[in-house]
Amino acid sequence: MKETKKLHSGYNLMTAITMIVGICIGSGIFFKADDILAYTGGNVGLGVLLLSIGAFSIIFGSMTLTELSVRTSSLGGLVGFYEVFISKAFANGFGWFQTFVYYPTINVVVAWAAGIYTVMLLGLEMTLEYQILIGTGYLLLMYAMNYGFKQIGGWFQVLTTYVKLLPLLSIAIIGMFQLAPVTTVATSETSVLQSVGFSFLAGLAPVAFSFDGWPIATSISNEVKNPKRNMPIALTIGPLIVLIVYVTYFLGLTKLLGIEHILAVGDQAIYDVGNIIFGAYGGKLILVFVIISVLGVVNGVTLGHIRMPYALATKKMLPNSEAVKIMNDRRQLSPRSFKISLYTSLIWMTIHYLTQKLGLLATGDVSEIAIIFAYLCYPILYVYVMKLYMKKEIKSHFKGIIAPMLACIGSGIIILGGIMSNPVYMPVFIVLCGIVFYQGYRFKRE
């Protein structure tokens, strides 16, 4: 093995697009429709508005980031952007936050979700231990696949994206032609639609989770063929596809089952609609699709995370960076970077298990620690793009002012919604993320 200064370009445009779509469309969209309806008092129009706000943030955010991606070939995705355009110390802090909090917390929670759905599919006792054990097994499987068989990891990302779109598009298309709701479960209690005022914005918390993960695709920018052409396209098309799928699915689901039915049965709604579309065993079949969908997210996050420590090491942003940046030429991956990612994820899986077992985070989970903090950091890059426009380095008024300004507004609304949804824990989460960020910031300053 020897240090490799340049990675081979192995991923094409389709892989980059499906990585964004595959990460965003995961467990959230299947099981968050009832939460969105609950926050909006059963108002479908407000639900569509919430989904649009979530997409609003990432569409204009990704459009803005394309102006940075074409101006640097630095490794590390967002970390590379912060390093080149903000400061090395800030980049180091954000890199530590992504590597040790953001990526692993999202990955372990999504893997845990795959474990939950598998327990449901197999008819096992719904215990936390079964869920965590199976989820950990899935996590290890994705790590093994991406370390031993890099191309298979890319192919799996494309495959799972297409597979997960099948039930979503089926529900969307069939629902659009449904004249009246079809209910398969008689409910003695139905939720009364009510006015919720501006508190509906708290529904942005489940929406943000459903859309989250799109910046992870920037971590493979230097491994995408012709990145200066393909990454801007992927970062624009991907979020648009996600928005279209989410809105049509949401409308189709509500037309098939009816608002009251969805509010009454909660997460079982996806099982019920599976029986309507696919027949007597449709509920089980839909769970198979959901599991494949969730594993696509785990694969995508893993694919991005295992490269983060290497990217930081190439910039001397980690202790013992010289060892971490040694590449295995055959695998085109740093073994130490892989191990750091794997061990960090396993540690967070243990923390996640303890917090769930002891009920330390109420109805939340460890992934909530990261999402809002990330949205606090993104606007710093958006503002820099506006500065480039003021310096006349960006000619387009839309790309240099309108898009980044709308991206900032979108991030601000999501932050507000996140705080409204969890006013007790969110400040604590932000402080925890800030501590990790500061340690990385201080390491580069020293």
Side-chain angles (χ1 to χ4, degrees):
M1 293 188 294
K2 63 181 181 179
E3 181 181 335
T4 300
K5 295 186 180 298
K6 185 176 181 180
L7 297 176
H8 298 163
S9 298
Y11 300 121
N12 58 25
L13 174 61
M14 183 58 65
T15 299
I17 292 175
T18 55
M19 185 175 183
I20 297 170
V21 175
I23 291 173
C24 289
I25 300 178
S27 60
I29 187 58
F30 290 110
F31 285 86
K32 294 297 184 181
D34 60 307
D35 297 327
I36 294 171
L37 281 174
Y39 279 116
T40 62
N43 189 313
V44 176
L46 286 180
V48 173
L49 177 61
L50 286 177
L51 290 170
S52 299
I53 291 174
F56 176 92
S57 176
I58 67 171
I59 289 173
F60 289 106
S62 61
M63 286 182 179
T64 303
L65 291 183
T66 60
E67 293 303 308
L68 300 181
S69 68
V70 299
R71 287 172 168 78
T72 179
S73 59
S74 180
L75 292 175
L78 292 179
V79 175
F81 296 166
Y82 284 115
E83 179 192 26
V84 173
F85 303 111
I86 307 302
S87 76
K88 290 185 177 180
F90 192 98
N92 210 72
F94 189 80
W96 280 38
F97 158 70
Q98 277 201 317
T99 302
F100 299 115
V101 182
Y102 181 81
Y103 280 88
T105 57
I106 291 176
N107 213 13
V108 301
V109 168
V110 177
W112 171 57
I116 292 175
Y117 307 144
T118 302
V119 170
M120 293 171 59
L121 178 66
L122 299 178
L124 301 175
E125 184 180 357
M126 190 61 69
T127 66
L128 180 62
E129 285 71 23
Y130 274 141
Q131 298 164 5
I132 293 293
L133 182 63
I134 295 175
T136 302
Y138 281 139
L139 189 67
L140 293 173
L141 176 63
M142 293 301 108
Y143 269 95
M145 184 171 65
N146 278 281
Y147 183 71
F149 308 96
K150 177 182 176 180
Q151 290 300 326
I152 292 179
W155 295 335
F156 183 75
Q157 194 62 38
V158 175
L159 173 65
T160 56
T161 299
Y162 289 132
V163 170
K164 75 177 64 177
L165 288 175
L166 177 61
L168 289 170
L169 295 178
S170 297
I171 293 170
I173 295 171
I174 295 173
M176 289 303 171
F177 292 99
Q178 187 67 36
L179 298 178
V182 178
T183 56
T184 57
V185 178
T187 57
S188 57
E189 298 181 7
T190 56
S191 301
V192 179
L193 307 188
Q194 55 185 331
S195 176
V196 293
F198 285 104
S199 64
F200 82 94
L201 289 173
L204 284 169
V207 168
F209 179 84
S210 298
F211 276 104
D212 196 59
W214 59 274
I216 293 175
T218 62
S219 68
I220 63 165
S221 293
N222 296 86
E223 295 181 71
V224 173
K225 297 175 181 178
N226 194 5
K228 292 193 175 183
R229 170 189 174 273
N230 288 334
M231 283 308 296
I233 295 174
L235 286 168
T236 302
I237 293 178
L240 286 172
I241 292 174
V242 174
L243 173 61
I244 293 170
V245 171
Y246 277 17
V247 170
T248 54
Y249 166 80
F250 184 72
L251 294 175
L253 184 69
T254 54
K255 288 192 69 175
L256 278 168
L257 294 181
I259 298 169
E260 290 83 358
H261 183 84
I262 295 172
L263 290 172
V265 301
D267 289 345
Q268 187 183 322
I270 189 67
Y271 183 88
D272 291 347
V273 82
N275 286 329
I276 291 174
I277 295 177
F278 300 110
Y281 295 99
K284 294 288 187 182
L285 182 61
I286 208 79
L287 284 178
V288 173
F289 284 126
V290 170
I291 292 170
I292 293 173
S293 170
V294 175
L295 289 180
V297 180
V298 178
N299 179 68
V301 178
T302 300
L303 191 152
H305 190 206
I306 59 179
R307 287 159 175 78
M308 277 303 301
Y310 169 79
L312 295 180
T314 60
K315 309 172 192 299
K316 301 186 185 301
M317 290 181 173
L318 287 176
N320 200 23
S321 290
E322 292 300 320
V324 176
K325 68 180 183 180
I326 295 176
M327 294 283 289
N328 181 306
D329 285 341
R330 184 172 66 86
R331 301 184 189 279
Q332 277 292 289
L333 192 67
S334 160
R336 295 201 180 210
S337 180
F338 174 86
K339 290 177 182 178
I340 290 172
S341 172
L342 174 61
Y343 296 157
T344 303
S345 293
L346 291 177
I347 289 171
W348 272 109
M349 182 66 85
T350 302
I351 295 172
H352 174 62
Y353 168 74
L354 293 175
T355 57
Q356 292 296 309
K357 188 69 174 180
L358 301 176
L360 299 180
L361 297 178
T363 58
D365 56 61
V366 294
S367 67
E368 294 178 4
I369 298 174
I371 294 174
I372 299 302
F373 188 86
Y375 275 97
L376 285 169
C377 296
Y378 299 156
I380 295 173
L381 292 175
Y382 304 156
V383 170
Y384 185 84
V385 170
M386 287 189 275
K387 290 181 178 179
L388 290 178
Y389 174 80
M390 300 302 291
K391 295 178 181 178
K392 302 188 182 302
E393 294 184 31
I394 296 177
K395 305 299 183 183
S396 169
H397 183 71
F398 175 80
K399 294 179 180 179
I401 291 293
I402 296 177
M405 188 174 294
L406 292 175
C408 287
I409 294 172
S411 293
I413 295 174
I414 287 181
I415 292 167
L416 175 63
I419 293 174
M420 290 175 64
S421 70
N422 197 341
V424 176
Y425 286 103
M426 197 54 64
V428 177
F429 295 160
I430 292 175
V431 169
L432 290 174
C433 292
I435 291 173
V436 175
F437 177 95
Y438 176 71
Q439 292 302 318
Y441 181 90
R442 189 178 68 173
F443 175 81
K444 196 60 178 178
R445 289 290 297 270
E446 292 178 346

